[in-house]
Amino acid sequence: MDNSIYNDTDLQVLRMIKRARGLGFSLEQIRDLVSLWQDPVRASADVKALAQSHVDDLNRRIAELTEMRDILARLAQTCSGDNKPDCPIIDTLVLGQQLV
């Protein structure tokens, strides 16, 4: 007697969800991927388009994060880090100075 809560299909879906989350897909995108997986007449072009859209979004986010890192690194380099109160990091954040 098999007392398993999940059948093989359920386990496949759970594995798919876990792997998709690991790749950064949103819950909505995962819902679409599962729906496509369950559709026997799906077009692989639909799956590819969803994946490519996610790649494009990741590239945009990477560019934004890289820019943030570079700005903060430059600000940190300009800060003397001594016991004086002058700090270009604070000045930039508080006074709304142009980010370098």
Side-chain angles (χ1 to χ4, degrees):
M1 172 186 254
D2 183 14
N3 291 328
S4 177
I5 296 174
Y6 301 106
N7 63 35
D8 287 340
T9 301
D10 294 333
L11 293 174
Q12 288 176 323
V13 170
L14 290 171
R15 271 192 299 274
M16 182 179 189
I17 291 169
K18 182 179 179 185
R19 290 176 181 155
R21 286 301 296 154
L23 291 172
F25 283 98
S26 69
L27 292 178
E28 181 180 339
Q29 290 169 321
I30 292 171
R31 190 176 309 115
D32 292 343
L33 285 168
V34 170
S35 178
L36 286 165
W37 175 68
Q38 293 171 335
D39 182 357
V41 294
R42 72 180 168 268
S44 64
D46 294 336
V47 179
K48 181 177 181 175
L50 197 150
Q52 187 59 56
S53 173
H54 185 53
V55 168
D56 295 342
D57 183 54
L58 288 171
N59 284 331
R60 180 190 55 75
R61 290 171 38 204
I62 289 167
E64 289 172 356
L65 288 170
T66 299
E67 181 180 5
M68 282 188 260
R69 182 207 56 211
D70 293 347
I71 290 169
L72 285 171
R74 285 192 299 272
L75 287 171
Q77 286 177 343
T78 63
C79 182
S80 61
D82 56 19
N83 292 330
K84 297 178 184 175
D86 296 332
C87 178
I89 300 167
I90 295 294
D91 293 343
T92 300
L93 297 174
V94 174
L95 301 175
Q97 293 178 348
Q98 181 67 30
L99 297 175
V100 286

